[in-house]
Amino acid sequence: MLGLYTTSPLAHSMIAQVFEEDKSFCYDRDMTNLEIAELLRNVAAAYEILGENPFKTIAYQKAADSIEHLTSDLKDMWDDGKLDTVPGVGSALASHLDELFRTGKVKHFDQVLSKLPKSIYPLLLVPGLGPKKAYKLVSELTLKDSKTVIADLEKAAQTHKIAAIVGFGEKSEEVILSGIESYKRGQIKENRMMLPEADGIARDIINYLKKMPEVNHADPLGSLRRQVATIGDIDIAVATRKPAVVIEHFVKYPHQKLIDKGAAGATLLLNNGRQVDLRVQKPEAYGAMLQYFTGSKHHNIKLRTYAVGRGLSLNEYGIKQVKTGKLTEFASEEGFYQALHMPYIPPEIREDKGEIEAAVSGRLPKLIELSDIKGDLHMHTNYNFSSSHDIGASHVKEHLDKAAALGYEYIGISDHNPSISNQTQKQIVAVMKKRKEWYEQQYYSLKDGLKKRVHLLIMCEVDILTDGKLALPDEAFEYVDAAIVSLHSSFTQSRKDITKRIITALTSHPKVRIFGHPTGRLLARREGVDADWPEVFATCKKHSIALEINAYPDRLDLPDSLVYEARKEGVKFCIDTDSHEVDQMDMMRYGVSVARRGWATKHDIVNTLGYNEFKSWLQKGV
DNA sequence: GCCGTTTTCGGCCCGACTGTTTTCAGTCG
């Protein structure tokens, strides 16, 4: 295959001359992981156009993927001399990245990138355009300005200048225009839905499908099955012997538009604007299909690479012996993984974070399950005591009833601390004393049966003020069993300031036991704070403070990637719902999903402890 | 350019889809 290594037939030297005024590349030594990944992808694209060894191109793309998925800043890892621990970064790339962080430039990248017109690189972000097409369009249409290249291309498509280019046609113009449309939408990031919304939609449809006797199994696929915090499209798999009947039934589900219908499935645009794909498969091959479409992409690539080493090739229909071409089908995913000599890997951890290696060597963690949860420590009742933030909508007795129904041994009421702006410290202490007495009175008035089953802990969610002090006077701590401390203001402080602020708060009183929704992120609305997480984790570990995994739908905070990191350091977690209304206590399972995605076992989670053990953890931190 | 149950050389995931083609290249997930 000599052709792979020869120079592209396109006359890039000529093009480079046309664009010679446009040669400088701006990047700096404080690039984010995302920006570095984009830089490496640009180099890979240039290599591809220039006809470099295709595996070198793939190596750059792999490194870019891997850097994009890191949970710490690459620059911090460089600081710590840990560049070589990044998968896909070998000695050559490590040396280039070292040059980048030291000098803010990489000579080799500049050389490669400047062989091509700079205006091709923005086009790579448009769906449907890869290196080859981007290069051809830029060359043929002489699109010089990288700042306006996307708008220029849009204009060229609208005025039908693209159909005239060899290899493009009228349809290409439409595809390019719709690609530019989604590129623009992608910039606004409005498309993804939060996990519970996607989960609810999928559950309704799965229940609807399961009413048919022809449906043997129905499951979500993709990021929803892996329980990622935000979901793009909803994909659903069905095992059946009567695919046509199932598809007919599916397209009768209430919708605004039937987008596609074929022998293997159908796509609907629902009334709520969400898109749902259905895929059908015969029961014998259902396991292979589930595995294939659950992903993640990185997990599947790693798994297929592993299989190739054993003379096997994986696809959506089964496992093929490379030598004989014999295909074995699998009805279940368990069987599929077993055939690869490893235990079943739960969907939540299929992210290529070491789960395949762990499975092969028998080190796969036994992930926490919803039924392991024995209590919920973060909820707000409708008891009104001049609280600093919002109060809840339900009575404490409703919360206790619900806890009993969920089989919990205990709950903690964690109302916000009293407002500090219009009350003296003395008044606040009095309010807290009265609050404790009120809750105790409510609890004592319960029926004996409920009291025996569910214990009540009187806690408080205390604001961490801008300087790290707590918004509750020391004397008031006498009236709570324990405190959750949380950030509710000044989210944009510098990393140094916010880290110091958090650590000050965590170590300011022995009754501070849980760090609530640690990053403060609100999905699709607010980024989390930029703290030095390893330092925060070390403090939690030292003082035996639990990091909260807040299950509230738009929080899911601590995020799964940080759960994974913190767990490696031996930090404990507490999964809470932060309920402001009694039915929200059902959201616990989303918190459990986050914990599972972070590889947590029940031993990593303090509210899997029975009441007595939990109480002793609260008091002594054992 | 990376990497190791084929470990310092010789491989590198897999198939679907689409448009422009008449047998395939490019892109995507």
Side-chain angles (χ1 to χ4, degrees):
Chain A
M1 294 291 282
L2 263 176
L4 287 174
Y5 298 88
T6 54
T7 310
S8 159
L10 295 165
H12 54 77
S13 57
M14 185 195 81
I15 297 296
Q17 271 177 3
V18 172
F19 293 96
E20 67 186 344
E21 76 278 12
D22 201 10
K23 262 187 174 172
S24 60
F25 290 91
C26 302
Y27 41 98
D28 61 67
R29 63 187 79 184
D30 280 327
M31 290 169 84
T32 65
N33 289 3
L34 216 58
E35 288 164 342
I36 295 167
E38 196 179 317
L39 173 63
L40 293 180
R41 284 202 188 97
N42 287 347
V43 177
Y47 275 151
E48 193 169 340
I49 297 164
L50 295 168
E52 243 309 347
N53 173 357
F55 295 110
K56 191 159 147 184
T57 306
I58 292 170
Y60 269 73
Q61 288 164 344
K62 275 188 181 168
D65 281 351
S66 158
I67 288 166
E68 193 176 290
H69 286 94
L70 285 176
T71 49
S72 11
D73 277 343
L74 190 64
K75 176 143 197 248
D76 293 344
M77 298 183 72
W78 169 75
D79 268 334
D80 298 341
K82 285 183 176 167
L83 276 187
D84 58 348
T85 64
V86 179
V89 173
S91 57
L93 274 174
S95 129
H96 291 324
L97 291 169
D98 177 65
E99 186 185 339
L100 172 67
F101 292 128
R102 274 188 300 107
T103 69
K105 267 192 142 341
V106 183
K107 274 195 195 129
H108 176 67
F109 291 174
D110 278 357
Q111 272 171 17
V112 177
L113 293 172
S114 62
K115 283 182 182 167
L116 297 168
K118 197 176 161 188
S119 50
I120 64 167
Y121 303 112
L123 292 185
L124 300 175
L125 301 174
V126 175
L129 290 186
K132 301 275 174 75
K133 285 188 186 173
Y135 181 70
K136 199 158 187 190
L137 288 166
V138 161
S139 310
E140 297 283 335
L141 300 166
T142 330
L143 306 175
K144 289 187 190 179
D145 189 341
S146 56
K147 290 195 184 71
T148 62
V149 64
I150 291 178
D152 294 343
L153 182 67
E154 191 172 21
K155 207 172 290 168
Q158 282 159 349
T159 52
H160 306 295
K161 297 210 171 104
I162 290 175
I165 304 171
V166 178
F168 292 83
E170 278 177 29
K171 188 78 192 174
S172 311
E173 293 181 334
E174 288 172 33
V175 170
I176 285 170
L177 285 174
S178 94
I180 291 175
E181 270 313 298
S182 12
Y183 166 79
K184 288 180 184 166
R185 274 205 309 275
Q187 299 295 86
I188 310 165
K189 284 186 179 170
E190 61 186 8
N191 279 335
R192 295 183 77 79
M193 58 194 124
M194 281 173 256
L195 174 61
E197 181 189 351
D199 200 37
I201 295 171
R203 232 176 325 162
D204 284 350
I205 296 174
I206 286 174
N207 287 339
Y208 170 81
L209 291 169
K210 279 187 169 169
K211 280 183 191 145
M212 298 190 81
E214 290 87 353
V215 171
N216 298 33
H217 301 283
D219 295 277
L221 295 168
S223 51
L224 176 55
R225 184 142 183 270
R226 302 199 311 280
Q227 298 276 287
V228 181
T230 61
I231 312 289
D233 288 341
I234 294 172
D235 296 305
I236 290 172
V238 163
T240 179
R241 292 200 186 288
K242 299 266 177 66
V245 181
V246 173
I247 292 168
E248 267 319 307
H249 182 62
F250 172 70
V251 299
K252 287 195 191 110
Y253 188 83
H255 63 271
Q256 55 169 297
K257 192 177 168 196
L258 171 64
I259 293 177
D260 196 16
K261 192 174 109 175
T267 302
L268 290 180
L269 185 64
L270 301 182
N271 296 328
N272 57 17
R274 301 301 185 183
Q275 190 168 313
V276 184
D277 282 357
L278 173 79
R279 292 172 187 280
V280 293
Q281 180 60 279
K282 59 181 178 180
E284 297 79 37
Y286 186 62
M289 175 168 118
L290 267 186
Q291 199 290 321
Y292 185 91
F293 288 109
T294 296
S296 67
K297 184 182 163 191
H298 295 288
H299 173 84
N300 283 357
I301 289 174
K302 179 65 78 67
L303 198 67
R304 283 174 212 151
T305 308
Y306 172 81
V308 165
R310 309 180 80 91
L312 302 169
S313 170
L314 313 180
N315 62 38
E316 71 176 281
Y317 308 107
I319 300 181
K320 201 163 65 180
Q321 294 278 348
V322 175
K323 269 189 191 165
T324 62
K326 182 174 173 268
L327 182 82
T328 311
E329 295 182 329
F330 293 90
S332 76
E333 276 188 320
E334 283 81 357
F336 190 94
Y337 281 99
Q338 213 166 39
L340 297 171
H341 304 285
M342 60 181 84
Y344 175 75
I345 300 177
E348 294 94 329
I349 62 169
R350 295 184 197 166
E351 300 289 349
D352 190 21
K353 280 181 141 184
E355 70 278 7
I356 292 168
E357 295 84 345
V360 170
S361 61
R363 289 179 292 108
L364 214 52
K366 187 179 179 328
L367 302 181
I368 179 178
E369 293 181 21
L370 182 57
S371 57
D372 292 325
I373 298 292
K374 302 263 173 60
D376 185 349
L377 287 308
H378 191 163
M379 59 192 74
H380 301 260
T381 73
N382 60 3
Y383 177 68
N384 197 344
F385 64 111
S386 71
S387 180
S388 59
H389 302 280
D390 49 349
I391 64 170
S394 308
H395 195 277
V396 59
K397 287 184 181 176
E398 294 177 78
H399 284 276
L400 285 159
D401 276 334
K402 180 76 181 177
L406 291 169
Y408 290 167
E409 294 182 23
Y410 50 92
I411 58 170
I413 300 297
S414 301
D415 305 314
H416 290 289
N417 57 267
S419 168
I420 53 171
S421 54
N422 52 4
Q423 300 184 97
T424 65
Q425 294 222 339
K426 210 173 158 188
Q427 282 171 321
I428 294 172
V429 174
V431 164
M432 291 299 286
K433 180 168 186 283
K434 190 176 154 203
R435 169 180 179 262
K436 177 181 160 77
E437 288 164 358
W438 187 84
Y439 276 125
E440 282 174 349
Q441 192 187 347
Q442 299 303 313
Y443 190 69
Y444 290 136
S445 70
L446 292 176
K447 288 193 191 111
D448 269 358
L450 187 53
K451 263 189 282 187
K452 272 181 198 147
R453 274 182 290 155
V454 183
H455 297 270
L456 180 69
L457 293 159
I458 298 167
M459 299 176 49
C460 187
E461 181 179 14
V462 182
D463 284 345
I464 300 175
L465 302 175
T466 318
D467 58 0
K469 291 204 178 74
L470 297 180
L472 193 71
D474 268 1
E475 309 89 85
F477 274 87
E478 194 182 328
Y479 304 107
V480 296
D481 291 310
I484 297 174
V485 294
S486 312
L487 300 165
H488 290 111
S489 61
S490 305
F491 298 101
T492 54
Q493 284 176 325
S494 70
R495 179 184 292 196
K496 196 170 151 227
D497 289 345
I498 201 111
T499 305
K500 191 170 164 222
R501 175 182 174 196
I502 292 168
I503 289 173
T504 304
L506 293 179
T507 55
S508 58
H509 195 284
K511 280 193 176 172
V512 171
R513 304 299 295 118
I514 297 170
F515 181 19
H517 46 73
T519 76
R521 75 169 178 181
L522 293 175
L523 289 169
R525 281 192 285 153
R526 183 173 73 207
E527 294 284 321
V529 297
D530 177 26
D532 183 335
W533 293 109
E535 206 174 317
V536 173
F537 297 161
T539 303
C540 289
K541 167 89 178 149
K542 186 175 170 197
H543 297 271
S544 182
I545 289 166
L547 289 164
E548 183 176 67
I549 297 175
N550 189 298
Y552 207 78
D554 56 0
R555 291 193 184 273
L556 299 183
D557 182 13
L558 209 54
D560 51 34
S561 56
L562 286 173
V563 173
Y564 181 85
E565 296 299 324
R567 181 185 175 266
K568 280 201 292 200
E569 304 306 316
V571 182
K572 302 282 189 202
F573 308 91
C574 187
I575 310 178
D576 297 321
T577 61
D578 202 349
S579 293
H580 285 65
E581 192 267 312
V582 65
D583 284 341
Q584 293 175 353
M585 288 171 71
D586 288 322
M587 300 289 184
M588 182 61 83
R589 56 204 182 85
Y590 301 115
V592 171
S593 290
V594 173
R596 286 170 65 86
R597 287 182 54 76
W599 291 48
T601 70
K602 67 182 280 191
H603 304 293
D604 299 313
I605 312 291
V606 293
N607 52 325
T608 62
L609 296 170
Y611 175 69
N612 290 329
E613 290 164 296
F614 182 77
K615 196 85 195 283
S616 104
W617 175 81
L618 266 193
Q619 286 160 357
K620 294 181 296 190
V622 288

